[in-house]
Protein backbone atom coordinates (compact mmCIF):
# COMPACT_ATOMS: atom_id res chain seq x y z
CA UNK A 1 0.00 0.00 0.00
CA UNK A 2 2.77 2.55 0.73
CA UNK A 3 4.21 2.00 -2.74
CA UNK A 4 0.76 2.47 -4.28
CA UNK A 5 0.19 5.67 -2.30
CA UNK A 6 3.47 7.18 -3.48
CA UNK A 7 3.04 5.99 -7.07
CA UNK A 8 -0.46 7.43 -7.25
CA UNK A 9 0.73 10.78 -5.96
CA UNK A 10 3.72 10.87 -8.32
CA UNK A 11 1.51 10.07 -11.34
CA UNK A 12 -0.79 12.93 -10.36
CA UNK A 13 2.18 15.25 -9.80
CA UNK A 14 3.60 14.48 -13.25
CA UNK A 15 0.32 15.61 -14.81
CA UNK A 16 -0.93 18.32 -12.46
CA UNK A 17 1.77 19.28 -9.97
CA UNK A 18 3.24 22.75 -9.70
CA UNK A 19 6.69 22.90 -11.26
CA UNK A 20 7.25 26.61 -11.90
CA UNK A 21 7.33 28.08 -8.42
CA UNK A 22 10.38 30.33 -7.88
CA UNK A 23 12.00 27.98 -5.36
CA UNK A 24 11.67 25.06 -7.78
CA UNK A 25 14.15 26.73 -10.11
CA UNK A 26 17.93 26.42 -9.63
CA UNK A 27 17.33 24.19 -6.63
CA UNK A 28 19.87 24.18 -3.85
CA UNK A 29 19.71 23.84 -0.07
CA UNK A 30 19.76 27.60 0.54
CA UNK A 31 16.84 28.32 -1.79
CA UNK A 32 14.80 25.40 -0.43
CA UNK A 33 15.50 26.46 3.16
CA UNK A 34 14.40 30.08 2.64
CA UNK A 35 11.22 28.98 0.87
CA UNK A 36 10.33 26.47 3.58
CA UNK A 37 10.77 29.07 6.32
CA UNK A 38 8.71 31.66 4.44
CA UNK A 39 5.95 29.14 3.73
CA UNK A 40 5.44 28.39 7.42
CA UNK A 41 2.03 29.82 8.35
CA UNK A 42 1.94 31.71 5.01
CA UNK A 43 0.22 31.09 1.66
CA UNK A 44 2.22 30.48 -1.51
CA UNK A 45 0.72 33.47 -3.31
CA UNK A 46 1.78 35.75 -0.46
CA UNK A 47 5.28 34.29 -0.27
CA UNK A 48 6.23 34.48 -3.98
CA UNK A 49 6.99 38.24 -4.22
CA UNK A 50 8.76 38.22 -0.85
CA UNK A 51 10.86 35.24 -1.90
CA UNK A 52 11.82 36.86 -5.19
CA UNK A 53 12.88 40.11 -3.52
CA UNK A 54 14.75 38.20 -0.83
CA UNK A 55 16.67 36.11 -3.37
CA UNK A 56 17.56 39.16 -5.39
CA UNK A 57 18.99 40.86 -2.30
CA UNK A 58 20.41 37.76 -0.59
CA UNK A 59 21.18 35.11 -3.24
CA UNK A 60 23.20 32.89 -0.89
CA UNK A 61 24.05 32.24 2.73
CA UNK A 62 27.17 34.43 2.55
CA UNK A 63 25.25 37.55 1.49
CA UNK A 64 22.54 36.92 4.09
CA UNK A 65 25.11 36.32 6.79
CA UNK A 66 26.92 39.58 6.02
CA UNK A 67 23.73 41.68 5.99
CA UNK A 68 22.54 43.84 8.84
CA UNK A 69 19.55 42.35 10.66
CA UNK A 70 17.66 45.58 9.94
CA UNK A 71 17.99 44.92 6.21
CA UNK A 72 16.66 41.39 6.62
CA UNK A 73 13.71 42.51 8.75
CA UNK A 74 12.91 45.30 6.31
CA UNK A 75 12.51 42.79 3.47
CA UNK A 76 10.39 40.65 5.79
CA UNK A 77 7.97 43.46 6.70
CA UNK A 78 4.43 42.21 6.10
CA UNK A 79 5.17 38.47 6.26
CA UNK A 80 4.69 38.29 10.02
CA UNK A 81 6.16 35.80 12.52
CA UNK A 82 9.37 37.83 12.56
CA UNK A 83 11.27 35.28 14.63
CA UNK A 84 11.56 33.40 11.33
CA UNK A 85 13.60 36.24 9.83
CA UNK A 86 15.81 36.55 12.90
CA UNK A 87 16.49 32.80 12.81
CA UNK A 88 17.25 32.95 9.08
CA UNK A 89 19.92 35.52 9.79
CA UNK A 90 21.39 33.50 12.68
CA UNK A 91 21.41 30.29 10.67
CA UNK A 92 23.09 31.94 7.69
CA UNK A 93 25.85 33.12 10.00
CA UNK A 94 26.30 29.60 11.37
CA UNK A 95 26.32 28.11 7.87
CA UNK A 96 29.16 30.46 6.94
CA UNK A 97 31.12 30.24 10.19
CA UNK A 98 30.67 26.55 11.05
CA UNK A 99 30.02 24.89 7.70
CA UNK A 100 32.06 27.13 5.39
CA UNK A 101 28.96 28.21 3.50
CA UNK A 102 27.68 24.70 2.70
CA UNK A 103 24.50 23.33 4.24
CA UNK A 104 24.86 20.07 6.16
CA UNK A 105 23.05 17.26 4.38
CA UNK A 106 21.60 15.36 7.34
CA UNK A 107 18.30 15.89 9.11
CA UNK A 108 20.02 15.69 12.49
CA UNK A 109 22.61 18.39 11.73
CA UNK A 110 20.02 20.69 10.14
CA UNK A 111 17.78 20.45 13.20
CA UNK A 112 20.57 21.90 15.31
CA UNK A 113 20.35 25.18 13.38
CA UNK A 114 18.08 28.02 14.60
CA UNK A 115 14.50 27.81 13.36
CA UNK A 116 14.86 24.48 11.54
CA UNK A 117 12.56 21.78 12.85
CA UNK A 118 12.14 18.17 11.86
CA UNK A 119 9.86 18.81 8.88
CA UNK A 120 11.92 21.69 7.45
CA UNK A 121 15.08 19.61 7.80
CA UNK A 122 13.34 16.76 6.00
CA UNK A 123 12.24 19.07 3.18
CA UNK A 124 15.79 20.36 2.66
CA UNK A 125 17.23 16.84 2.59
CA UNK A 126 14.48 15.52 0.33
CA UNK A 127 14.27 18.37 -2.17
CA UNK A 128 17.83 19.69 -2.23
CA UNK A 129 19.72 16.43 -1.61
CA UNK A 130 17.09 13.93 -2.86
CA UNK A 131 17.43 11.82 0.26
CA UNK A 132 14.68 9.63 1.65
CA UNK A 133 13.73 12.21 4.26
CA UNK A 134 10.21 12.85 5.51
CA UNK A 135 8.21 16.05 5.87
CA UNK A 136 5.07 16.77 7.86
CA UNK A 137 3.95 20.34 7.27
CA UNK A 138 0.38 21.56 7.60
CA UNK A 139 -0.61 20.39 4.13
CA UNK A 140 0.76 16.89 4.67
CA UNK A 141 -0.91 16.61 8.07
CA UNK A 142 -4.25 17.45 6.49
CA UNK A 143 -3.85 14.91 3.65
CA UNK A 144 -2.84 12.07 5.97
CA UNK A 145 -5.37 12.91 8.67
CA UNK A 146 -8.20 12.73 6.13
CA UNK A 147 -6.84 9.74 4.25
CA UNK A 148 -6.68 7.67 7.45
CA UNK A 149 -9.40 9.52 9.41
CA UNK A 150 -6.92 10.32 12.17
CA UNK A 151 -8.84 12.36 14.70
CA UNK A 152 -7.54 14.89 17.17
CA UNK A 153 -5.47 18.04 16.94
CA UNK A 154 -2.10 17.35 15.23
CA UNK A 155 -0.38 19.39 17.93
CA UNK A 156 -1.10 16.61 20.44
CA UNK A 157 1.85 14.29 20.95
CA UNK A 158 -0.04 11.07 20.21
CA UNK A 159 -1.64 12.44 17.05
CA UNK A 160 1.63 13.92 15.82
CA UNK A 161 3.43 10.61 16.43
CA UNK A 162 0.87 8.69 14.38
CA UNK A 163 1.01 11.21 11.52
CA UNK A 164 4.82 11.04 11.47
CA UNK A 165 4.64 7.25 11.29
CA UNK A 166 2.31 7.42 8.29
CA UNK A 167 4.41 10.12 6.61
CA UNK A 168 7.58 8.04 6.98
CA UNK A 169 5.82 4.91 5.79
CA UNK A 170 4.77 6.56 2.53
CA UNK A 171 7.99 8.45 1.71
CA UNK A 172 9.59 6.56 -1.21
CA UNK A 173 13.29 5.86 -1.67
CA UNK A 174 13.15 7.07 -5.29
CA UNK A 175 11.93 10.41 -6.62
CA UNK A 176 11.76 11.64 -3.04
CA UNK A 177 12.01 15.29 -4.08
CA UNK A 178 9.07 14.96 -6.47
CA UNK A 179 7.03 13.02 -3.92
CA UNK A 180 7.68 15.67 -1.29
CA UNK A 181 6.50 18.40 -3.61
CA UNK A 182 3.55 16.26 -4.72
CA UNK A 183 2.07 15.69 -1.27
CA UNK A 184 2.53 19.37 -0.35
CA UNK A 185 0.86 20.36 -3.62
CA UNK A 186 -2.05 18.02 -3.03
CA UNK A 187 -2.75 19.62 0.33
CA UNK A 188 -2.30 23.14 -0.97
CA UNK A 189 -4.39 22.84 -4.13
CA UNK A 190 -6.95 20.04 -3.66
CA UNK A 191 -7.08 18.82 -0.06
CA UNK A 192 -7.61 22.33 1.27
CA UNK A 193 -8.93 23.27 4.71
CA UNK A 194 -12.36 24.22 3.40
CA UNK A 195 -14.16 22.98 0.29
CA UNK A 196 -11.60 20.30 -0.68
CA UNK A 197 -11.71 19.29 -4.34
CA UNK A 198 -12.32 15.59 -3.70
CA UNK A 199 -13.43 14.80 -7.28
CA UNK A 200 -10.01 15.87 -8.54
CA UNK A 201 -8.03 14.03 -5.86
CA UNK A 202 -6.06 10.95 -6.93
CA UNK A 203 -6.37 9.48 -3.42
CA UNK A 204 -10.14 9.80 -3.24
CA UNK A 205 -10.89 6.08 -3.70
CA UNK A 206 -9.09 5.03 -0.51
CA UNK A 207 -9.64 8.18 1.57
CA UNK A 208 -11.61 7.25 4.68
CA UNK A 209 -12.78 10.79 5.37
CA UNK A 210 -14.21 11.01 1.84
CA UNK A 211 -15.96 7.66 2.16
CA UNK A 212 -17.51 8.76 5.45
CA UNK A 213 -18.26 12.27 4.14
CA UNK A 214 -16.38 13.68 7.12
CA UNK A 215 -13.68 15.72 5.39
CA UNK A 216 -14.35 18.73 7.62
CA UNK A 217 -13.71 16.63 10.74
CA UNK A 218 -10.05 16.08 9.91
CA UNK A 219 -7.61 17.14 11.08
CA UNK A 220 -9.01 17.99 14.49
CA UNK A 221 -9.06 21.62 15.57
CA UNK A 222 -6.80 23.12 18.19
CA UNK A 223 -8.64 23.29 21.52
CA UNK A 224 -9.98 26.78 21.95
CA UNK A 225 -9.05 28.86 24.94
CA UNK A 226 -9.68 32.49 25.78
CA UNK A 227 -6.89 34.68 24.48
CA UNK A 228 -5.64 37.27 26.96
CA UNK A 229 -5.81 40.90 25.89
CA UNK A 230 -3.04 43.46 26.41
CA UNK A 231 -3.90 47.17 26.19
CA UNK A 232 -1.32 49.81 25.30
CA UNK A 233 -1.01 53.32 23.90
CA UNK A 234 1.29 53.65 20.90
CA UNK A 235 2.80 57.11 21.17
CA UNK A 236 3.38 58.79 17.84
CA UNK A 237 5.67 61.56 19.06
CA UNK A 238 5.78 64.25 16.38
CA UNK A 239 8.16 67.20 16.29
CA UNK A 240 7.59 70.63 14.70
CA UNK A 241 9.12 69.39 11.42
CA UNK A 242 6.47 66.68 11.08
CA UNK A 243 8.86 63.83 11.87
CA UNK A 244 7.83 61.02 14.20
CA UNK A 245 10.03 59.16 16.65
CA UNK A 246 10.68 55.45 16.11
CA UNK A 247 12.63 53.17 18.41
CA UNK A 248 14.13 49.76 17.88
CA UNK A 249 12.48 47.07 19.97
CA UNK A 250 14.47 44.53 21.97
CA UNK A 251 15.75 41.54 19.99
CA UNK A 252 13.38 39.17 21.76
CA UNK A 253 9.66 39.43 22.43
CA UNK A 254 6.90 40.68 20.15
CA UNK A 255 8.12 42.47 17.03
CA UNK A 256 11.65 41.67 18.19
CA UNK A 257 14.30 43.79 16.50
CA UNK A 258 11.71 45.82 14.57
CA UNK A 259 11.19 49.58 14.66
CA UNK A 260 8.06 50.80 16.38
CA UNK A 261 6.53 53.70 18.27
CA UNK A 262 7.23 54.04 22.00
CA UNK A 263 4.41 52.67 24.13
CA UNK A 264 2.88 53.11 27.56
CA UNK A 265 -0.06 51.79 29.51
CA UNK A 266 -2.20 54.88 30.18
CA UNK A 267 -2.52 58.59 29.42
CA UNK A 268 -0.97 59.64 32.71
CA UNK A 269 2.32 58.12 31.55
CA UNK A 270 2.52 60.09 28.28
CA UNK A 271 4.22 63.26 29.56
CA UNK A 272 6.78 61.50 31.82
CA UNK A 273 7.67 59.08 29.04
CA UNK A 274 8.15 61.88 26.53
CA UNK A 275 10.46 63.64 28.99
CA UNK A 276 12.58 60.49 29.04
CA UNK A 277 13.13 61.12 25.34
CA UNK A 278 13.98 64.78 25.93
CA UNK A 279 10.60 65.96 24.68
CA UNK A 280 7.91 68.17 26.20
CA UNK A 281 4.27 67.46 25.40
CA UNK A 282 2.31 70.30 23.78
CA UNK A 283 -0.87 68.32 23.06
CA UNK A 284 -2.06 64.86 22.13
CA UNK A 285 -4.84 63.29 20.09
CA UNK A 286 -6.07 59.72 20.54
CA UNK A 287 -7.09 57.78 17.42
CA UNK A 288 -9.56 54.85 17.38
CA UNK A 289 -8.38 51.69 19.10
CA UNK A 290 -7.17 48.85 16.88
CA UNK A 291 -6.42 45.17 17.49
CA UNK A 292 -3.55 42.99 16.35
CA UNK A 293 -3.71 39.29 17.19
CA UNK A 294 -0.61 37.27 17.99
CA UNK A 295 -0.55 33.52 18.44
CA UNK A 296 -1.03 33.74 22.21
CA UNK A 297 -2.80 37.03 22.87
CA UNK A 298 -4.63 40.03 21.42
CA UNK A 299 -2.93 43.41 21.42
CA UNK A 300 -5.42 46.28 21.65
CA UNK A 301 -3.53 49.46 20.89
CA UNK A 302 -4.68 53.06 20.74
CA UNK A 303 -2.50 55.19 18.45
CA UNK A 304 -1.94 58.54 20.14
CA UNK A 305 -0.41 61.44 18.21
CA UNK A 306 1.67 63.50 20.62
CA UNK A 307 2.80 66.94 19.48
CA UNK A 308 6.13 67.66 21.13
CA UNK A 309 8.90 70.21 21.41
CA UNK A 310 12.48 69.40 22.21
CA UNK A 311 13.56 70.00 25.80
CA UNK A 312 17.00 68.42 25.67
CA UNK A 313 19.19 66.58 23.21
CA UNK A 314 17.30 63.72 21.57
CA UNK A 315 19.38 60.90 20.17
CA UNK A 316 19.06 60.51 16.40
CA UNK A 317 20.90 57.23 16.00
CA UNK A 318 19.85 53.67 16.92
CA UNK A 319 17.92 52.75 18.88
CA UNK A 320 16.01 55.97 18.03
CA UNK A 321 15.37 57.71 14.72
CA UNK A 322 13.26 60.63 13.53
CA UNK A 323 11.30 59.72 10.43
CA UNK A 324 9.05 61.59 7.98
CA UNK A 325 5.91 59.39 7.73
CA UNK A 326 5.49 59.98 3.99
CA UNK A 327 9.02 58.83 3.16
CA UNK A 328 10.00 55.18 2.54
CA UNK A 329 11.32 53.42 5.60
CA UNK A 330 14.41 51.28 5.15
CA UNK A 331 14.12 49.62 8.56
CA UNK A 332 12.00 46.61 9.42
CA UNK A 333 8.58 47.36 10.90
CA UNK A 334 5.54 45.29 11.80
CA UNK A 335 2.53 45.68 9.52
CA UNK A 336 0.43 47.66 12.07
CA UNK A 337 3.25 50.20 12.43
CA UNK A 338 3.73 50.43 8.67
CA UNK A 339 0.00 51.05 8.27
CA UNK A 340 0.00 53.73 10.97
CA UNK A 341 2.82 55.59 9.27
CA UNK A 342 0.54 55.90 6.25
CA UNK A 343 -2.58 56.78 8.23
CA UNK A 344 -1.10 59.56 10.38
CA UNK A 345 -0.23 61.75 7.39
CA UNK A 346 -3.89 62.83 7.38
CA UNK A 347 -3.78 64.13 10.97
Amino acid sequence: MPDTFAATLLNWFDLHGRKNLPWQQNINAYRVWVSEIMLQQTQVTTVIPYYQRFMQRFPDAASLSAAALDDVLHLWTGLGYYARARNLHKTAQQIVEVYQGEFPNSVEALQNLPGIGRSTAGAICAIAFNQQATILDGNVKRVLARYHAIGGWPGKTAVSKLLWEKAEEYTPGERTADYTQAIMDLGATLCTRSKPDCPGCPLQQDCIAFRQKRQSDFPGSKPKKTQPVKNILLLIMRNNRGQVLLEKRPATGIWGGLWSFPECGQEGEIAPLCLNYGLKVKSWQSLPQQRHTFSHFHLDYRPTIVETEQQSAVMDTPPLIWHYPDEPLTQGTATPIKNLLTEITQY
Side-chain angles (χ1 to χ4, degrees):
M1 184 172 176
D3 290 344
T4 303
F5 183 96
T8 301
L9 263 184
L10 285 166
N11 288 337
W12 171 81
F13 178 73
D14 289 340
L15 293 172
H16 305 291
R18 297 179 294 186
K19 303 175 182 69
N20 296 309
L21 296 170
W23 43 89
Q24 293 174 315
Q25 318 308 313
N26 306 311
I27 291 174
N28 61 37
Y30 175 79
R31 291 174 62 82
V32 172
W33 165 60
V34 173
S35 70
E36 287 297 315
I37 299 300
M38 285 190 170
L39 287 164
Q40 293 170 2
Q41 310 285 338
T42 313
Q43 296 289 330
V44 166
T45 51
T46 301
V47 165
I48 287 175
Y50 281 92
Y51 181 84
Q52 290 171 326
R53 288 192 294 268
F54 201 90
M55 281 298 145
Q56 186 174 11
R57 177 67 179 80
F58 308 121
D60 50 36
S63 57
L64 178 55
S65 171
L69 180 57
D70 264 347
D71 292 342
V72 179
L73 291 171
H74 175 60
L75 279 182
W76 203 271
T77 297
L79 264 182
Y81 299 96
Y82 291 90
R84 295 182 298 171
R86 296 194 296 272
N87 283 331
L88 275 176
H89 192 239
K90 290 178 188 174
T91 291
Q93 291 175 333
Q94 289 191 26
I95 292 295
V96 170
E97 294 167 7
V98 180
Y99 296 99
Q100 293 74 52
E102 298 293 330
F103 272 75
N105 61 357
S106 76
V107 169
E108 293 75 18
L110 286 166
Q111 282 184 264
N112 288 326
L113 294 167
I116 298 184
R118 182 178 175 185
S119 184
T120 300
I124 295 169
C125 285
I127 298 172
F129 301 122
N130 204 27
Q131 296 177 5
Q132 189 175 6
T134 304
I135 69 159
L136 190 67
D137 70 352
N139 289 315
V140 180
K141 289 175 184 176
R142 191 163 54 254
V143 169
L144 295 179
R146 286 174 175 165
Y147 189 76
H148 289 284
I150 296 172
W153 175 49
K156 290 184 176 179
T157 302
V159 179
S160 176
K161 183 174 181 291
L162 182 54
L163 289 171
W164 270 110
E165 288 173 357
K166 293 299 182 185
E168 289 177 338
E169 179 183 353
Y170 290 136
T171 303
E174 297 181 356
R175 294 192 66 190
T176 310
D178 286 345
Y179 169 83
T180 299
Q181 188 63 58
I183 194 166
M184 288 192 293
D185 273 8
L186 189 76
T189 63
L190 297 183
C191 195
T192 51
R193 283 190 183 89
S194 60
K195 299 180 181 177
D197 182 8
C198 296
C201 178
L203 302 176
Q204 179 207 91
Q205 184 176 348
D206 296 312
C207 177
I208 299 176
F210 173 76
R211 284 194 215 148
Q212 298 177 351
K213 294 182 170 51
R214 297 177 58 206
Q215 295 94 319
S216 61
D217 292 342
F218 306 100
S221 300
K222 182 177 181 178
K224 289 186 177 180
K225 58 181 180 180
T226 303
Q227 296 276 64
V229 178
K230 179 181 179 181
N231 288 276
I232 63 169
L233 301 178
L234 280 178
L235 304 186
I236 305 167
M237 301 178 189
R238 186 159 59 187
N239 63 21
N240 57 12
R241 296 187 298 277
Q243 297 170 303
V244 295
L245 191 68
L246 296 173
E247 68 176 354
K248 192 172 187 178
R249 297 182 65 89
T252 57
I254 65 167
W255 297 334
L258 300 177
W259 291 79
S260 182
F261 298 112
E263 65 182 62
C264 66
Q266 54 191 358
E267 290 185 346
E269 300 173 9
I270 293 176
L273 182 61
C274 287
L275 281 175
N276 288 341
Y277 292 92
L279 300 169
K280 180 181 178 181
V281 175
K282 294 194 293 185
S283 64
W284 73 70
Q285 174 187 2
S286 291
L287 305 183
Q289 180 173 282
Q290 300 185 44
R291 169 169 286 191
H292 185 76
T293 298
F294 294 91
S295 56
H296 296 97
F297 71 96
H298 300 295
L299 179 68
D300 285 353
Y301 60 96
R302 184 176 296 280
T304 303
I305 298 178
V306 185
E307 305 295 348
T308 68
E309 60 184 14
Q310 188 168 321
Q311 287 292 97
S312 60
V314 181
M315 186 165 44
D316 194 27
T317 56
L320 298 174
I321 56 172
W322 286 106
H323 174 71
Y324 287 106
D326 56 354
E327 290 186 352
L329 189 67
T330 57
Q331 289 80 10
T333 56
T335 298
I337 305 304
K338 184 179 180 181
N339 292 341
L340 278 175
L341 285 168
T342 301
E343 292 172 19
I344 60 177
T345 56
Q346 61 187 297
Y347 292 96

